[in-house]
Amino acid sequence: MKQYETGLPLKDLAQIFKILNLCAEKIQDQEAFIEPTCEILKLCGLPFLKKKLSDEVNYTPVTLESIAQLGYLMRVPSSQVRIQICKCIISFYHPEPPNKQLAGLHSTSANYKIQMAELGGLAETLVLSLALVENQLAEKLWVLKALQHLSTSGVNCKLMMKAQAASRICSHLNDADPSGQLLFRSSEILWNLLENMSKEEIVNQLSNLECIYALKEVFVNLLMHGFRHYDRQLRNDLLVIATLIAENPGAPMIESGFTKQLILLATFSEVKSHNPLVKGFKLTYSYEDFELKKLLFNMVAVLAKDLCSVQLLNEGKVVLALFHYVKPNEKPGVHDWSAAQYEELQLHAIATLASVAPLLVDDYMTCQGNTRLLMFLEWCVGQDPFFGQGNCFHGAGGRGNKLAQMRYSLRVLRPVVSLCDEAVNLDLCDQGAINQLLDILKHITNKSKEKEDAIVLEIQTDILLILSTLCENDLHRKELFGCEGVDILIPFMKMDPNKLYSGLGHNRLLFTTLDSLWCCVMGCYIAEDYFLEKEGIFLLLDLLALKQKNICNLILGILVEFCDNSKTASHINTWRGKKDQTAASLLIHLWKQEELELGVKHDQDGRIVDAKKPLVGSFQEQQGVIPMPANCPSIAIMEVSENMRAKIYSVLCKLGFENLPGLSAKDFVTLAIIRRYLDFKVGEVWSEICAELKEETFRPVTPDEEALKVISEASENVGKMVATLQTEMLESQQHQELQEEEKVYSKIQAIHKQREMVNKSWENFLTRTSNYEALKKAKRLQEKSIDASRSKSRPQNATLHTTEIKGLNTTIASGRLVTVESTPSELTGGPLADTDLALRKLSVRGGALKKIKGVKVLDPFKKDSVSVK
C-alpha cells in the first residue's frame, strides 16, 4: 500500500487486480479480508501511472479488463466493499492529484479511466448490480450516484439501456428514503438517459404499470407535501417525464389512474371539485407553480391525442376549464397571476382548447363556445388598450398587439367548423360569423399592407378556411359572403408570384384563396358576376400562366365550374398573356407539358403514334393491368383525377373547339387529340377490361366477345382517324407556308421589275435631254399618240381650238409660259426665244423671264424637275 500510495503503474495493474479478486473471494469466509480489499480499491481511485507515452495504448486490454472487474466485484456480499467500488468509480470523474510523483512515472490523461470504463462496459454491470442492493438503501444510493456520473456519457447510456436501466430505476422511485437522494439521483439519471439516447426507446421501457404507478405516487406526494423550491422543481421534472410517457399510445396511463388525476389537477382551479385529492389544495403564484400549470395544460393536449381519454376529459369538464381563459384579463392584481403570466396561460389554454374542442363538441356547445370565441375575436380587433408581452412560445409575433390571441382563437374555431357539424355551423352563422370574419380579414389585411409576417398570413389563411367550410353548399351563406368577400379575395390573387417561395406562408394563403373562391363564390350568380366584373377570370388565367404544378389543377377545376356561367367564355377568350398568348394556347401548352411528364408517345410533330393507346403514359404502360374488384376504380379511371387532362378537356368543351384564336398548326394537331379525349378514355377503359379478362383467363360468351372486338376496333379507328386528320393539318399548313413563300417571292419579283422600269424610264429621260433628235422623235410619237386617242367624229359647225404650242420640243404637259431651269438662260437665250410666243413687252434679262409667279411640275419618275412658269 505504501509502495503505491502515489498511484498504480499500468504495468502492475494485472497483478494488483489478481490480488484484489483473491481477497474478494476470501471475504465470504473471512471478514478480515474486507479491509485490505477496500484499501486496494482506494488505490484504484488514484491516477494510473505510465512510464512511456505509448503505455496507455499498450496496456489498454489489461486496463479494460481491470476496470470491468470493478463492476463484477459488486457481487461481494459486503456493504463496505460495494460502497468503496462506487467511490472508486466516482473518482474517475473527480480525480485527486497525488501528494508526490515517483521519478520516471507520469499520470495518464484525465479521461483515460472514463474511456476505459466506457469500453469495458462498466455501466451495464453496475445497473445489473442494482438487483443486489435493492434492500440496502445506503449501497443503493452510492450505486445511483455512480450511475449518475456514468450517465453523462452517450456510450454509457447505451450500455445502461441494454440493462433496462430506465425501467429498473423508475420502478423504484417510490422506495422509502428519508434523505430524498434516491428520488433526486434517479430523476437525474432518467434525464441523462433522455438527453443522450433515443426518447422512444426510453419511453418504451417506462411504459409499464410498475413504472407509471411509482411515478404517479411520487408526483402526487411531491405535489401535496413538497414545500421547498427543490421539491417543486423535482415535481415539474417528473411531470415532464410523465408527459413523454403519455405520448406513447401503448402506455397504460388510464389503467393506472394517472390520467384521471392529471386531468383533475389541470382543471381544479377553474372548475370546482369535491375530490379529496384537491380538497384544501391551492396553487401559489410562484414561478414553479406557474410552470406546473403550463405543464398540466400541455399534458391535457397530449392526452387528447388518445381517443380513450376523451371520456375522462368530458368527465373532468376540461372544455369549461379552458374556456375560463377565453376572455380579457380584467383584474390583474398582486394576488393573482401577473399580466405576462396570465397572457401566457391564456394562450396555452386556448392552444390546448384547439386540440380538445373538436373531440368534445357537445361540451363545446354547452359552454356556448361559438359565442365566447366570437366575442373574444371582437375584443382582438377592438381599440381597447392592451399590450401583449409576446415573450412566450405561443405569444410569438404578439408583442404590443392582440395577434397571438386572435391566431389561437381561430385555431380553435377552424377544426370545430371543419367537423361540418350542422348544428355548430348554423349556430355560428346565426351569430353573424361570416360578416364578422370578413371584417376581421379586411382589418388585418389593411393593417399589414406595409409588412407581412407568418402570423398575419396564418390568420388570413385560417379565416378563409373557416369561410370556405361555412359557405360550401349553402347559397344563403354565399350571398352573405357576396361582393364584400370578392373584394377581399381579389388582392390575394394579385400577390407577387415571387412571394410563393418566401417560406412565410404565401403559398398556403393562395391555396385557401382559391378554395374560398370555389366554395364561397361559385354557385352564387351575384358573386360570380361581380367576380367577372372585377376581371377575376383574367387573374385566374394569370396564375395559370405561371404553370405552377401544385395550383394548376385547382385553377382548372375552378375554371370548369365558372364556365357554367354564360359570361365566362368571352372573358377567357379575351384574355391575353405574355407575347399575346391566348387562353386556348395556354391550355394546349399545359396539355403538352402534362403528356410529356406522363410519357405519352407522340412523334416530333405531336401526332398519335399508337392508335390503340393514344392517352397511355409510360408509367401506366409499365405498371400493366392489375385485376381489381368491381367496386375499385381501375388505373385508367384513377388517372383522370391524378392529372389535368380531363379538366383541360372540360374547359375547351365549354369554350368550343372551333374558332379558337392564337393557335399554331401544332396546337391544332394537339387540339385534335383533346377533342377526342372522352372517346379515347372510353376506349382505354374497354381495353383495360379486355386485358383484365385475359389476365384472369376468363373467356366471355361469344356475343360479348364479338361486342368487345367491335368496340376495340371502333376505338382504334378513332385513333387512326385523328392521326390522319393530324397529318392533313400538317400538310395543309405546309402547303399554306409554300403559298405564302411564293407570294413573298412574287412580291420581290414585282419590286425588281418596278425598279427596272424606273431605271429604263430614267435612261429614256437622259436620252431625250441629251440627244435633240431623240427628243424630237419622242415628241412626234407623243403627238401621234395624242391624235390617235382623239375622237374621229366631229360635230358640225364646231370650232376647234388647238392646245399645242408650235415649235416647243418637250414631252411633258406645258403651259403658255415655260422656264427651263436645268439649262442656264445665258446659253439658250431664253426658253421661248425661238417660238411664236416670245415675250417682247416684259422685262427680260439675258433672255430669261423675271419675277413671274408659277407652279413647279415634276417629272412622273421623280428623276429631275422642270419649273414651268
Side-chain angles (χ1 to χ4, degrees):
M1 295 296 296
K2 291 180 180 179
Q3 181 182 354
Y4 296 121
E5 63 182 2
T6 58
L8 294 178
L10 291 175
K11 63 184 182 63
D12 297 338
L13 211 55
Q15 293 180 358
I16 291 171
F17 269 87
K18 187 179 290 185
I19 296 170
L20 184 61
N21 283 321
L22 289 172
C23 293
E25 291 173 4
K26 300 285 186 179
I27 288 175
Q28 192 167 1
D29 300 326
Q30 301 178 44
E31 294 184 357
F33 283 95
I34 293 176
E35 185 178 352
T37 302
C38 291
E39 293 297 327
I40 296 173
L41 287 171
K42 287 180 182 178
L43 292 178
C44 293
L46 295 174
F48 291 165
L49 302 177
K50 61 183 179 180
K51 192 172 184 179
K52 302 176 182 177
L53 290 174
S54 59
D55 282 354
E56 288 188 10
V57 177
N58 295 335
Y59 289 99
T60 294
V62 175
T63 311
L64 282 177
E65 187 178 351
S66 301
I67 291 181
Q69 287 295 322
L70 291 175
Y72 299 136
L73 287 174
M74 289 295 292
R75 71 186 185 278
V76 176
S78 169
S79 177
Q80 296 177 37
V81 173
R82 289 171 178 172
I83 292 174
Q84 191 58 51
I85 291 171
C86 294
K87 288 181 178 179
C88 177
I89 295 170
I90 294 169
S91 70
F92 294 176
Y93 295 86
H94 306 287
E96 294 181 4
N99 296 329
K100 58 181 180 178
Q101 192 79 36
L102 293 178
L105 293 176
H106 306 280
S107 298
T108 54
S109 57
N111 293 326
Y112 182 68
K113 283 185 177 182
I114 297 174
Q115 293 172 1
M116 294 300 103
E118 292 175 354
L119 295 174
L122 179 61
E124 183 180 1
T125 311
L126 210 58
V127 171
L128 294 172
S129 70
L130 281 171
L132 301 174
V133 297
E134 190 170 334
N135 300 318
Q136 309 296 327
L137 181 58
E139 298 171 27
K140 186 192 293 186
L141 291 177
W142 277 104
V143 172
L144 289 174
K145 187 175 182 180
L147 286 173
Q148 184 182 350
H149 284 82
L150 289 170
S151 61
T152 56
S153 161
V155 176
N156 286 334
C157 286
K158 190 173 183 180
L159 293 169
M160 291 169 66
M161 289 303 296
K162 286 176 63 179
Q164 301 291 311
S167 179
R168 287 173 183 269
I169 293 170
C170 186
S171 60
H172 292 281
L173 283 175
N174 57 342
D175 287 358
D177 175 27
S179 68
Q181 288 190 50
L182 186 145
L183 184 55
F184 166 70
R185 299 198 186 283
S186 298
S187 63
E188 282 293 314
I189 294 169
L190 289 175
W191 271 112
N192 288 338
L193 290 173
L194 286 168
E195 289 176 358
N196 293 309
M197 289 298 296
S198 167
K199 185 173 66 175
E200 290 75 14
E201 186 179 351
I202 295 167
V203 168
N204 287 335
Q205 283 194 18
L206 298 176
S207 299
N208 57 72
L209 276 172
E210 190 178 1
C211 291
I212 294 174
Y213 272 127
L215 193 61
K216 180 184 77 167
E217 187 176 332
V218 172
F219 173 74
V220 172
N221 182 58
L222 285 172
L223 182 70
M224 297 301 164
H225 305 108
F227 59 91
R228 295 174 299 178
H229 176 76
Y230 157 77
D231 292 333
R232 291 169 179 168
Q233 282 186 331
L234 186 56
R235 171 200 66 188
N236 292 351
D237 290 344
L238 293 176
L239 184 55
V240 173
I241 294 174
T243 305
L244 295 174
I245 297 173
E247 289 177 352
N248 181 13
M253 293 286 291
I254 297 174
E255 294 83 345
S256 65
F258 202 7
T259 297
K260 190 171 184 178
Q261 283 188 352
L262 290 170
I263 292 173
L264 174 65
L265 293 170
T267 60
F268 82 95
S269 300
E270 295 78 25
V271 180
K272 290 183 179 180
S273 174
H274 300 289
N275 192 300
L277 180 64
V278 295
K279 189 176 182 180
F281 177 72
K282 187 178 181 181
L283 290 176
T284 65
Y285 298 108
S286 64
Y287 177 77
E288 288 73 26
D289 284 353
F290 171 66
E291 287 294 318
L292 175 67
K293 192 68 179 176
K294 292 196 297 179
L295 287 171
L296 288 170
F297 282 159
N298 185 56
M299 175 61 84
V300 170
V302 171
L303 293 173
K305 296 177 182 177
D306 184 5
L307 295 180
C308 299
S309 304
V310 173
Q311 182 62 33
L312 294 175
L313 294 171
N314 178 34
E315 293 172 1
K317 299 181 180 180
V318 172
V319 174
L320 179 61
L322 294 173
F323 265 117
H324 175 78
Y325 294 91
V326 186
K327 61 182 181 181
N329 186 15
E330 297 174 353
K331 298 178 180 179
V334 179
H335 303 294
D336 202 345
W337 303 114
S338 67
Q341 286 178 327
Y342 182 84
E343 180 189 8
E344 192 167 348
L345 287 176
Q346 181 187 59
L347 294 173
H348 209 132
I350 299 173
T352 305
L353 189 60
S355 302
V356 176
L359 302 174
L360 301 168
V361 178
D362 292 338
D363 291 357
Y364 174 85
M365 293 299 292
T366 303
C367 297
Q368 297 181 329
N370 287 334
T371 305
R372 293 192 185 205
L373 286 172
L374 291 177
M375 290 177 65
F376 192 62
L377 285 171
E378 187 176 354
W379 172 79
C380 289
V381 295
Q383 301 299 322
D384 298 347
F386 174 81
F387 301 99
Q389 303 299 316
N391 295 325
C392 60
F393 170 78
H394 296 290
R399 188 169 186 82
N401 55 54
K402 306 171 188 175
L403 286 180
Q405 284 78 3
M406 183 186 296
R407 176 193 187 189
Y408 282 97
S409 299
L410 291 169
R411 280 193 182 183
V412 176
L413 202 56
R414 176 168 52 84
V416 171
V417 170
S418 298
L419 294 173
C420 296
D421 187 307
E422 189 55 34
V424 175
N425 292 356
L426 181 61
D427 176 66
L428 198 61
C429 293
D430 288 346
Q431 297 186 56
I434 292 177
N435 290 329
Q436 183 176 343
L437 290 172
L438 287 173
D439 291 340
I440 293 172
L441 189 57
K442 191 186 300 182
H443 172 78
I444 290 294
T445 305
N446 292 335
K447 203 170 182 181
S448 64
K449 281 183 178 179
E450 297 179 0
K451 182 182 178 182
E452 292 180 331
D453 58 15
I455 307 299
V456 172
L457 292 172
E458 182 184 336
I459 290 172
Q460 293 171 329
T461 300
D462 284 344
I463 292 176
L464 290 175
L465 282 173
I466 293 168
L467 290 170
S468 298
T469 308
L470 290 175
C471 296
E472 190 175 12
N473 303 322
D474 192 298
L475 181 58
H476 174 63
R477 295 174 189 172
K478 291 181 180 181
E479 290 174 350
L480 291 176
F481 184 86
C483 300
E484 184 182 359
V486 172
D487 286 332
I488 293 172
L489 294 181
I490 291 294
F492 293 152
M493 296 175 66
K494 292 180 179 179
M495 76 167 64
D496 184 359
N498 295 323
K499 291 183 178 179
L500 295 175
Y501 305 101
S502 65
L504 295 175
H506 290 89
N507 53 344
R508 289 193 294 271
L509 179 59
L510 180 58
F511 271 111
T512 51
T513 301
L514 295 174
D515 185 53
S516 299
L517 177 60
W518 199 327
C519 298
C520 304
V521 175
M522 285 191 300
C524 176
Y525 294 116
I526 297 174
E528 282 185 7
D529 290 346
Y530 188 72
F531 181 77
L532 292 172
E533 287 177 15
K534 289 290 184 176
E535 299 181 348
I537 293 295
F538 292 172
L539 297 176
L540 281 175
L541 290 170
D542 288 339
L543 290 172
L544 188 63
L546 298 175
K547 299 171 186 174
Q548 297 290 330
K549 185 73 175 178
N550 49 359
I551 62 172
C552 283
N553 223 332
L554 182 57
I555 295 172
L556 287 169
I558 294 171
L559 288 174
V560 170
E561 296 292 334
F562 251 112
C563 283
D564 289 338
N565 190 317
S566 58
K567 301 175 183 177
T568 304
S570 59
H571 283 256
I572 294 176
N573 288 325
T574 304
W575 176 82
R576 292 294 181 272
K578 291 182 179 180
K579 298 181 180 179
D580 207 31
Q581 185 183 30
T582 62
S585 174
L586 174 61
L587 292 171
I588 291 172
H589 181 82
L590 289 172
W591 177 285
K592 291 178 181 177
Q593 185 177 337
E594 189 73 14
E595 291 206 327
L596 183 64
E597 292 177 4
L598 293 172
V600 180
K601 294 179 181 178
H602 293 302
D603 65 7
Q604 59 182 3
D605 294 318
R607 288 177 291 191
I608 293 174
V609 173
D610 188 353
K612 293 182 179 179
K613 300 176 181 178
L615 298 178
V616 177
S618 57
F619 175 75
Q620 186 179 345
E621 194 170 5
Q622 290 171 6
Q623 195 169 8
V625 175
I626 303 172
M628 303 283 286
N631 59 345
C632 294
S634 65
I635 297 173
I637 300 300
M638 290 293 293
E639 183 267 345
V640 173
S641 60
E642 290 175 352
N643 58 65
M644 301 184 290
R645 292 189 294 181
K647 293 183 178 69
I648 294 172
Y649 167 75
S650 301
V651 174
L652 288 172
C653 278
K654 300 282 187 179
L655 296 178
F657 291 97
E658 304 294 337
N659 303 321
L660 292 174
L663 300 184
S664 64
K666 290 191 176 181
D667 289 340
F668 279 109
V669 168
T670 306
L671 187 64
I673 300 175
I674 300 174
R675 191 168 190 170
R676 289 288 188 170
Y677 172 78
L678 192 57
D679 296 332
F680 289 148
K681 182 53 68 174
V682 171
E684 185 182 335
V685 173
W686 279 110
S687 175
E688 202 170 48
I689 292 171
C690 295
E692 281 191 28
L693 292 174
K694 188 177 179 180
E695 186 72 22
E696 295 176 350
T697 62
F698 180 83
R699 182 188 176 279
V701 295
T702 304
D704 288 347
E705 189 174 9
E706 291 176 356
L708 287 173
K709 186 177 180 181
V710 170
I711 291 170
S712 299
E713 289 177 355
S715 176
E716 186 177 354
N717 289 337
V718 171
K720 291 178 179 178
M721 182 187 70
V722 172
T724 304
L725 178 62
Q726 289 175 321
T727 303
E728 290 176 358
M729 287 179 180
L730 291 171
E731 290 177 352
S732 174
Q733 173 65 17
Q734 189 177 4
H735 180 68
Q736 185 177 353
E737 289 176 355
L738 288 173
Q739 286 184 331
E740 290 177 357
E741 188 177 350
E742 288 177 359
K743 286 181 181 179
V744 171
Y745 279 119
S746 299
K747 188 175 181 181
I748 294 171
Q749 190 176 5
I751 291 171
H752 281 288
K753 188 173 181 180
Q754 183 69 17
R755 287 177 180 172
E756 290 176 1
M757 292 175 64
V758 170
N759 292 335
K760 189 174 181 181
S761 174
W762 174 245
E763 290 173 358
N764 291 336
F765 176 75
L766 290 178
T767 303
R768 293 198 306 273
T769 55
S770 59
N771 189 336
Y772 185 64
E773 293 300 325
L775 179 62
K776 289 195 294 183
K777 184 178 179 181
K779 181 64 177 177
R780 286 194 298 272
L781 290 173
Q782 185 184 37
E783 290 174 351
K784 187 176 180 181
S785 177
I786 291 171
D787 289 339
S789 66
R790 287 174 178 163
S791 175
K792 303 299 181 183
S793 59
R794 297 179 181 176
Q796 293 181 356
N797 303 323
T799 304
L800 296 177
H801 299 279
T802 180
T803 59
E804 298 175 359
I805 302 174
K806 294 182 179 180
L808 185 63
N809 293 324
T810 60
T811 55
I812 60 172
S814 305
R816 297 179 65 84
L817 303 175
V818 177
T819 299
V820 180
E821 294 181 348
S822 60
T823 305
S825 57
E826 289 85 356
L827 301 177
T828 60
L832 302 179
D834 298 329
T835 63
D836 297 336
L837 298 177
L839 300 178
R840 299 174 183 174
K841 298 180 180 181
L842 295 177
S843 173
V844 178
R845 181 182 295 169
L849 298 178
K850 184 180 178 183
K851 294 184 180 179
I852 298 176
K853 278 187 178 182
V855 62
K856 190 173 183 180
V857 180
L858 299 179
D859 184 78
F861 297 106
K862 312 282 184 176
K863 290 299 180 181
D864 203 350
S865 62
V866 178
S867 179
V868 180
K869 294 185 181 179

